Amino acid sequence: WEVSPASEDAQDVKAAELVRMALGRMRFNKVCKAFLDATLKGFAVGEVMWEVHDGYVLPKTIKPKRQQRFAFNLQEELRLLTREAPVDGIE
């Protein structure tokens, strides 16, 4: 993967550096590999774990979640299946 600034403007260059740093800190390649499971099951779900680093709120990692814990409603919205709502799930 490669991150390029939208322009040579200083703000765009700084934003691209921040994104590069964020992706590098969370081992983005490992995260992508974990989500390749979606090719077999149709979708993948992950929970973003955030942290403050150098004054920025950045993703620390993304934890893959089991697809069996989720379903979609008639509006194609993702729902978390729980013991209290095992069929319809919750938002």
Side-chain angles (χ1 to χ4, degrees):
W1 50 270
E2 182 177 325
V3 177
S4 301
S7 73
E8 294 304 316
D9 182 69
Q11 187 174 5
D12 290 341
V13 171
K14 185 175 180 181
E17 290 172 2
L18 180 63
V19 171
R20 263 187 234 108
M21 179 187 68
L23 294 177
R25 287 176 39 80
M26 65 185 274
R27 301 177 64 190
F28 188 66
N29 289 341
K30 182 178 179 184
V31 171
C32 289
K33 184 177 179 183
F35 284 101
L36 286 175
D37 194 33
T39 58
L40 298 174
K41 297 180 180 172
F43 71 101
V45 179
E47 180 180 6
V48 180
M49 309 305 290
W50 300 92
E51 72 177 350
V52 177
H53 180 75
D54 291 339
Y56 296 101
V57 178
L58 300 172
K60 181 177 181 178
T61 190
I62 301 176
K63 292 184 177 183
K65 299 296 178 181
R66 292 182 22 238
Q67 286 95 331
Q68 295 89 342
R69 296 281 323 271
F70 298 89
F72 292 90
N73 64 13
L74 295 175
Q75 293 75 37
E76 299 181 6
E77 299 167 329
L78 188 66
R79 311 286 290 180
L80 173 64
L81 302 178
T82 65
R83 288 186 179 161
E84 294 78 21
V87 176
D88 295 327
I90 61 172
E91 288 186 35

